[in-house]
Amino acid sequence: MQPTSGRKPLNHIIMSNSNTYPLRKIKSRVSIAALFLLSITTCCCAGNAQGGGNGIDSTAVPQRHEVSLLFGGDLMQHEPQIKAARTASGQYDYTGVFDYMAPEIKKADIAIANFEVTLGGPPYKGYPQFCAPDEYLQAAIDCGFDVLTTCNNHSVDTRGRGIDRTITMMDSLGVRHLGTYRNQQERDRLYPFIIEHDSIRICLLNYTYGTNGIPVPQPYIVNLIDTTVIARDIAKAKAMNPDVIIAIPHWGDEYVLLPNKGQRELADWLFAKGVDHIVGGHPHVVEPIEVRGEGQDKHLLAYSLGNFVSNQSRPNTDGGTMVRMTLVKENGKTWLEDCGYNLYWVSRPVTSGKRNYRVLPASYPDDSLNAMERTKRATYLKNTRDLFSKHNKGIEEYMVE
């Protein structure tokens, strides 16, 4: 398997309320049979017009719209990762970290991940208060992520300077983001976050349980989990006429493989309020994924996708999962047509002998790994698959080529 790099073409449309941004475009999908019928209908309508009819045919084939979404886990940056990326010239080079996952990420029309560091500028540091090099953000963009959530328990690690500069850097590099804001006026203008693709309007909501006890400095805003505020946001979102609402909560207990009572209750509450799908994070390990409902009334709930990349060494923290969703819109109704997840594992210099960290899909060939890497990856994949086989509902694993 050869790594690939480069950015997917930027020519479709992403919208954040009143602002429109260029991203990749997808054509509406109409079957060959539908096109044939549509051509016949067009001819008949033309004939009616010539004969004095109204030219309207109520049997016209409806247009089908489709969008694929991909969600990644927590993008961490611990001290050893920063040191591994540092070059002799004092710059930071993340080549190789995401190369093997980039093709899968770029397949999605819209790819989303949690950016769990700040970009407060030098000096750079890891846990417990993260401040990553700007090159890390560029690497996340280059591998294909279109939208980054910034609302998590580390949002205030470098105080107001970090919140402000993270927003500035993301804006300057053209990646969409949500979850933290410079002030209330900015939040009112940009949130709820709306992203549109192939005539499907998607609303994203992002909240965190807290900020590690660090107060949010005024006038900055970090979206905290507060059901009064969330209910108000959902009502505002509905008034913006989205086709689907997706909540991305930062919640749960770190390193625990099953959701706690608070997660389960909040998930039920969000669904009852009109949220269609939920994709969570924070525990740094994967938690179960389930699909509720059936037919055109299905709702995805992923409690935690785990780390996308990190230096954590606790059991089950050295890998994660990405979730892919296909949404379809026809006759004014939008539904979840398909979904699946893939697993990946993070190889690090201490195990690989290579300079940088590498996020490797589960399908990455064993003969390209050394003995230590094979053992560690096999342990992670077995533990995760055992967990999912017991607790997942209505969703299956797919392999990244």
Side-chain angles (χ1 to χ4, degrees):
M1 178 181 298
Q2 296 298 317
T4 61
S5 59
R7 183 73 169 126
K8 58 183 163 187
L10 299 179
N11 61 355
H12 69 284
I13 299 297
I14 276 192
M15 299 174 59
S16 180
N17 291 3
S18 60
N19 299 324
T20 301
Y21 305 94
L23 279 175
R24 191 178 53 174
K25 190 174 185 180
I26 185 171
K27 295 180 180 179
S28 301
R29 290 167 171 80
V30 182
S31 68
I32 298 299
L35 288 172
F36 176 72
L37 289 173
L38 189 58
S39 67
I40 295 176
T41 301
T42 303
C43 294
C44 292
C45 289
N48 288 339
Q50 292 171 2
N54 58 18
I56 298 175
D57 185 349
S58 61
T59 64
V61 177
Q63 192 175 47
R64 173 186 171 94
H65 303 274
E66 184 175 315
V67 60
S68 62
L69 304 177
L70 182 140
F71 291 85
D74 301 334
L75 288 161
M76 311 294 293
Q77 187 71 177
H78 293 90
E79 193 77 28
Q81 294 171 267
I82 297 173
K83 290 180 179 179
R86 185 178 172 86
T87 66
S89 64
Q91 303 301 308
Y92 293 86
D93 180 6
Y94 291 92
T95 300
V97 177
F98 305 120
D99 287 0
Y100 293 95
M101 300 303 296
E104 180 64 17
I105 297 169
K106 292 176 182 179
K107 284 181 185 177
D109 297 318
I110 302 168
I112 304 156
N114 172 45
F115 197 71
E116 197 158 347
V117 296
T118 65
L119 300 171
Y124 305 122
K125 55 187 178 179
Y127 182 83
Q129 294 178 2
F130 296 106
C131 184
D134 297 338
E135 291 88 343
Y136 187 54
L137 172 62
Q138 186 64 62
I141 296 171
D142 288 344
C143 80
F145 286 115
D146 302 299
V147 180
L148 296 173
T149 58
T150 58
C151 180
N152 51 68
N153 58 309
H154 290 285
S155 296
V156 197
D157 279 2
T158 49
R159 310 319 193 261
R161 172 177 62 94
I163 296 175
D164 190 289
R165 195 173 182 281
T166 300
I167 292 171
T168 296
M169 289 304 302
M170 290 186 175
D171 285 344
S172 68
L173 294 178
V175 64
R176 299 301 96 214
H177 55 88
L178 69 150
T180 58
Y181 304 91
R182 294 186 180 94
N183 50 54
Q184 185 63 50
Q185 292 74 23
E186 185 174 79
R187 186 184 191 274
D188 290 343
R189 179 170 59 88
L190 299 175
Y191 194 81
F193 181 94
I194 299 290
I195 182 169
E196 183 171 326
H197 179 87
D198 192 26
S199 300
I200 300 178
R201 287 171 59 82
I202 302 161
C203 173
L204 300 179
L205 302 173
N206 179 215
Y207 305 92
T208 180
Y209 73 92
T211 55
N212 291 343
I214 304 174
V216 179
Q218 296 296 323
Y220 298 99
I221 293 178
V222 175
N223 286 345
L224 298 177
I225 294 176
D226 179 328
T227 53
T228 300
V229 174
I230 298 173
R232 193 160 57 236
D233 291 341
I234 292 173
K236 181 180 177 182
K238 290 179 177 178
M240 299 165 71
N241 298 315
D243 295 298
V244 63
I245 301 175
I246 302 175
I248 309 173
H250 206 71
W251 60 359
D253 298 320
E254 290 185 337
Y255 316 119
V256 177
L257 295 172
L258 294 176
N260 61 31
K261 181 181 178 182
Q263 286 170 277
R264 295 193 300 269
E265 290 179 347
L266 182 57
D268 291 342
W269 183 87
L270 287 168
F271 283 138
K273 283 292 182 180
V275 169
D276 297 286
H277 310 290
I278 303 170
V279 182
H282 169 64
H284 302 303
V285 295
V286 298
E287 292 181 342
I289 308 168
E290 61 184 66
V291 176
R292 300 183 179 185
E294 58 185 17
Q296 294 185 359
D297 189 30
K298 294 188 294 188
H299 307 277
L300 176 73
L301 170 56
Y303 282 107
S304 173
L305 302 183
N307 292 325
F308 190 74
V309 63
S310 79
N311 187 62
Q312 290 189 313
S313 299
R314 289 176 182 244
N316 306 307
T317 61
D318 54 344
T321 184
M322 293 195 302
V323 167
R324 180 180 288 275
M325 307 168 59
T326 301
L327 303 177
V328 169
K329 178 180 179 181
E330 198 171 280
N331 290 331
K333 180 176 177 58
T334 304
W335 65 90
L336 175 64
E337 183 174 75
D338 189 27
C339 60
Y341 66 89
N342 67 74
L343 301 180
Y344 50 83
W345 174 79
V346 179
S347 175
R348 57 195 70 187
V350 69
T351 55
S352 68
K354 301 182 184 296
R355 186 181 71 82
N356 229 327
Y357 290 69
R358 297 181 301 158
V359 186
L360 304 175
S363 57
Y364 189 80
D366 277 351
D367 57 11
S368 296
L369 301 172
N370 64 38
M372 184 182 297
E373 289 178 302
R374 287 197 296 271
T375 298
K376 288 183 174 293
R377 186 179 71 164
T379 299
Y380 171 75
L381 293 177
K382 181 181 185 305
N383 290 347
T384 303
R385 285 169 175 156
D386 286 348
L387 173 76
F388 281 180
S389 68
K390 294 177 183 177
H391 298 284
N392 279 10
K393 299 176 183 178
I395 189 169
E396 295 182 356
E397 179 181 4
Y398 69 92
M399 300 300 288
V400 174
E401 296 180 1

Coordinates of all heavy atoms in Angstrom, one line a residue, residues 311-352:
N311 N -0.1 10.1 21.4 CA 1.0 9.3 22.0 C 0.6 8.6 23.2 O 1.4 8.1 24.0 CB 2.2 10.2 22.3 CG 3.4 9.5 22.7 OD1 4.0 8.7 21.9 ND2 3.8 9.6 24.0
Q312 N -0.7 8.4 23.4 CA -1.2 7.8 24.6 C -0.9 6.3 24.6 O -1.0 5.6 23.5 CB -2.7 8.0 24.8 CG -3.1 9.4 25.1 CD -4.5 9.6 25.5 OE1 -5.4 9.1 24.8 NE2 -4.8 10.3 26.6
S313 N -0.6 5.7 25.8 CA -0.1 4.3 25.8 C -1.0 3.5 26.7 O -0.8 2.3 26.8 CB 1.3 4.3 26.4 OG 2.2 5.0 25.6
R314 N -2.1 4.0 27.3 CA -3.0 3.2 28.0 C -3.7 2.2 27.1 O -3.7 2.4 25.9 CB -4.1 4.1 28.7 CG -3.6 4.9 29.8 CD -4.8 5.8 30.3 NE -4.4 6.7 31.4 CZ -4.9 6.6 32.6 NH1 -5.8 5.7 32.9 NH2 -4.5 7.5 33.5
P315 N -4.1 1.1 27.6 CA -4.8 0.1 26.8 C -5.9 0.7 25.9 O -6.7 1.5 26.4 CB -5.4 -0.9 27.8 CG -4.5 -0.8 28.9 CD -4.1 0.6 29.0
N316 N -6.0 0.4 24.7 CA -7.0 0.8 23.7 C -7.0 2.2 23.3 O -7.9 2.7 22.6 CB -8.4 0.5 24.3 CG -8.6 -1.0 24.8 OD1 -8.3 -1.9 24.0 ND2 -8.9 -1.1 26.1
T317 N -5.9 3.0 23.6 CA -5.8 4.4 23.2 C -5.0 4.5 22.0 O -4.8 5.6 21.5 CB -5.2 5.2 24.3 OG1 -3.9 4.8 24.6 CG2 -6.1 5.2 25.6
D318 N -4.3 3.4 21.5 CA -3.4 3.6 20.4 C -4.1 3.3 19.0 O -3.4 3.1 18.0 CB -2.2 2.6 20.5 CG -2.7 1.2 20.7 OD1 -3.9 0.9 21.0 OD2 -1.8 0.3 20.6
G319 N -5.4 3.5 19.0 CA -6.1 3.4 17.7 C -7.5 4.0 17.8 O -7.8 4.6 18.9
G320 N -8.3 3.9 16.8 CA -9.6 4.5 16.8 C -10.4 4.0 15.7 O -10.1 3.0 15.0
T321 N -11.5 4.7 15.4 CA -12.4 4.3 14.3 C -12.9 5.6 13.6 O -13.0 6.6 14.2 CB -13.6 3.5 14.8 OG1 -14.4 3.1 13.7 CG2 -14.5 4.3 15.7
M322 N -13.1 5.4 12.3 CA -13.8 6.5 11.5 C -15.2 5.9 11.1 O -15.3 4.8 10.8 CB -13.0 6.9 10.3 CG -11.7 7.6 10.6 SD -10.9 8.4 9.2 CE -10.8 7.0 8.0
V323 N -16.1 6.8 11.1 CA -17.5 6.4 10.7 C -17.9 7.2 9.4 O -17.6 8.4 9.3 CB -18.5 6.8 11.8 CG1 -19.9 6.7 11.3 CG2 -18.3 5.9 13.0
R324 N -18.4 6.4 8.5 CA -18.9 7.0 7.2 C -20.4 6.9 7.1 O -21.0 5.8 7.5 CB -18.2 6.3 6.0 CG -18.7 6.8 4.7 CD -18.0 6.0 3.5 NE -16.6 6.4 3.4 CZ -16.2 7.4 2.7 NH1 -17.0 8.2 2.1 NH2 -14.9 7.6 2.6
M325 N -21.0 7.9 6.7 CA -22.5 8.0 6.5 C -22.8 8.4 5.1 O -22.1 9.3 4.6 CB -23.1 9.0 7.5 CG -22.8 8.8 8.9 SD -23.3 10.2 10.0 CE -25.1 10.2 9.7
T326 N -23.8 7.8 4.5 CA -24.4 8.3 3.2 C -25.8 8.8 3.5 O -26.6 8.0 3.9 CB -24.3 7.2 2.2 OG1 -23.0 6.7 2.0 CG2 -24.9 7.7 0.9
L327 N -26.0 10.0 3.2 CA -27.3 10.6 3.3 C -27.9 10.8 1.9 O -27.2 11.3 1.0 CB -27.3 12.0 4.0 CG -26.6 12.0 5.4 CD1 -26.6 13.4 6.0 CD2 -27.4 11.1 6.4
V328 N -29.2 10.5 1.8 CA -29.9 10.7 0.5 C -31.1 11.6 0.7 O -31.8 11.5 1.7 CB -30.3 9.3 0.0 CG1 -31.3 9.5 -1.2 CG2 -29.1 8.5 -0.5
K329 N -31.4 12.4 -0.3 CA -32.5 13.3 -0.3 C -33.3 13.1 -1.5 O -32.8 13.2 -2.6 CB -32.1 14.8 -0.1 CG -33.2 15.8 -0.1 CD -32.7 17.2 0.0 CE -33.8 18.2 0.0 NZ -33.2 19.6 0.1
E330 N -34.6 12.9 -1.4 CA -35.5 12.7 -2.5 C -36.9 13.1 -2.1 O -37.4 12.8 -1.0 CB -35.5 11.2 -3.0 CG -36.0 10.9 -4.4 CD -35.7 9.5 -4.8 OE1 -34.5 9.2 -5.2 OE2 -36.6 8.7 -4.7
N331 N -37.6 13.8 -3.0 CA -38.9 14.3 -2.7 C -39.0 15.1 -1.4 O -40.0 15.0 -0.6 CB -39.9 13.1 -2.6 CG -40.2 12.5 -4.0 OD1 -40.1 13.2 -5.0 ND2 -40.5 11.2 -4.0
G332 N -38.0 15.8 -1.1 CA -38.0 16.6 0.1 C -37.7 15.9 1.4 O -37.7 16.5 2.5
K333 N -37.4 14.6 1.3 CA -37.1 13.8 2.6 C -35.7 13.4 2.5 O -35.2 12.9 1.5 CB -38.0 12.6 2.7 CG -37.8 11.8 3.9 CD -38.8 10.6 4.0 CE -38.5 9.7 5.2 NZ -38.5 10.5 6.5
T334 N -35.0 13.5 3.6 CA -33.6 13.1 3.7 C -33.5 11.9 4.7 O -34.1 12.0 5.8 CB -32.7 14.3 4.2 OG1 -32.9 15.3 3.3 CG2 -31.2 13.9 4.2
W335 N -32.7 10.9 4.4 CA -32.5 9.8 5.3 C -31.1 9.2 5.2 O -30.4 9.5 4.3 CB -33.6 8.7 5.0 CG -33.4 8.0 3.7 CD1 -32.7 6.9 3.4 CD2 -34.0 8.4 2.4 NE1 -32.7 6.6 2.0 CE2 -33.6 7.5 1.4 CE3 -34.8 9.5 2.0 CZ2 -33.9 7.6 0.1 CZ3 -35.2 9.6 0.7 CH2 -34.8 8.7 -0.2
L336 N -30.8 8.4 6.3 CA -29.5 7.7 6.3 C -29.7 6.4 5.5 O -30.3 5.5 5.9 CB -29.2 7.4 7.8 CG -27.9 6.5 8.0 CD1 -26.7 7.3 7.5 CD2 -27.8 6.2 9.5
E337 N -29.0 6.4 4.4 CA -29.1 5.2 3.5 C -28.1 4.1 3.9 O -28.4 3.0 3.8 CB -28.9 5.6 2.0 CG -29.1 4.4 1.1 CD -29.1 4.9 -0.4 OE1 -28.0 5.1 -0.9 OE2 -30.1 4.9 -1.0
D338 N -26.9 4.5 4.3 CA -25.9 3.6 4.6 C -24.9 4.1 5.6 O -24.7 5.4 5.6 CB -25.2 3.2 3.3 CG -24.3 2.0 3.4 OD1 -24.5 1.2 4.3 OD2 -23.2 1.9 2.7
C339 N -24.2 3.3 6.3 CA -23.2 3.7 7.2 C -22.3 2.5 7.5 O -22.6 1.4 7.3 CB -23.7 4.3 8.5 SG -24.8 3.2 9.5
G340 N -21.1 2.8 8.0 CA -20.1 1.8 8.3 C -19.0 2.4 9.0 O -18.8 3.7 9.1
Y341 N -18.1 1.6 9.6 CA -16.9 2.1 10.3 C -15.7 1.3 9.9 O -15.8 0.2 9.4 CB -17.1 2.0 11.8 CG -17.2 0.6 12.3 CD1 -16.0 -0.1 12.7 CD2 -18.4 -0.1 12.4 CE1 -16.1 -1.4 13.1 CE2 -18.4 -1.4 12.9 CZ -17.3 -2.1 13.2 OH -17.3 -3.4 13.7
N342 N -14.5 2.0 9.9 CA -13.3 1.3 9.7 C -12.4 1.5 10.9 O -12.5 2.5 11.6 CB -12.6 1.7 8.4 CG -12.1 3.2 8.5 OD1 -11.1 3.5 9.1 ND2 -12.9 4.0 7.8
L343 N -11.5 0.6 11.2 CA -10.5 0.7 12.3 C -9.1 1.1 11.8 O -8.8 0.7 10.7 CB -10.5 -0.6 13.1 CG -11.8 -1.1 13.6 CD1 -11.6 -2.5 14.3 CD2 -12.5 -0.1 14.6
Y344 N -8.4 1.7 12.7 CA -7.0 2.1 12.3 C -6.2 2.0 13.6 O -6.7 2.0 14.7 CB -6.9 3.4 11.7 CG -7.6 4.5 12.5 CD1 -7.0 5.2 13.5 CD2 -8.9 4.9 12.1 CE1 -7.7 6.1 14.2 CE2 -9.6 5.9 12.8 CZ -8.9 6.5 13.9 OH -9.6 7.5 14.6
W345 N -4.9 1.9 13.5 CA -4.0 1.9 14.6 C -2.8 2.8 14.3 O -2.4 3.0 13.2 CB -3.5 0.4 14.7 CG -2.4 0.2 15.7 CD1 -2.6 0.1 17.1 CD2 -1.0 0.1 15.5 NE1 -1.4 0.0 17.7 CE2 -0.4 -0.1 16.8 CE3 -0.2 0.1 14.4 CZ2 1.0 -0.2 16.9 CZ3 1.2 -0.1 14.5 CH2 1.7 -0.3 15.8
V346 N -2.2 3.4 15.4 CA -1.1 4.3 15.3 C 0.2 3.7 15.6 O 0.4 3.2 16.7 CB -1.4 5.5 16.2 CG1 -0.2 6.6 16.1 CG2 -2.7 6.2 15.8
S347 N 1.1 3.7 14.6 CA 2.5 3.3 14.8 C 3.3 4.5 15.2 O 3.1 5.6 14.6 CB 3.0 2.6 13.5 OG 4.4 2.3 13.7
R348 N 4.2 4.3 16.2 CA 5.0 5.5 16.6 C 6.5 5.1 16.5 O 6.8 4.0 16.4 CB 4.6 5.8 18.0 CG 4.7 4.7 19.0 CD 4.0 5.0 20.3 NE 2.6 5.0 20.2 CZ 1.7 5.4 21.1 NH1 2.2 5.8 22.3 NH2 0.4 5.4 20.9
P349 N 7.3 6.1 16.5 CA 8.7 5.9 16.3 C 9.4 4.8 17.2 O 10.2 4.1 16.8 CB 9.4 7.3 16.5 CG 8.3 8.2 16.1 CD 7.0 7.6 16.6
V350 N 8.9 4.8 18.5 CA 9.5 3.9 19.4 C 9.3 2.4 19.1 O 10.0 1.5 19.4 CB 9.0 4.2 20.9 CG1 7.5 3.8 21.0 CG2 9.9 3.5 21.9
T351 N 8.2 2.2 18.3 CA 7.9 0.8 17.9 C 8.3 0.5 16.5 O 8.7 -0.6 16.1 CB 6.4 0.5 18.0 OG1 5.6 1.5 17.3 CG2 5.9 0.5 19.5
S352 N 8.3 1.6 15.6 CA 8.5 1.3 14.2 C 10.0 1.6 13.8 O 10.5 1.1 12.8 CB 7.7 2.3 13.3 OG 8.0 3.6 13.5

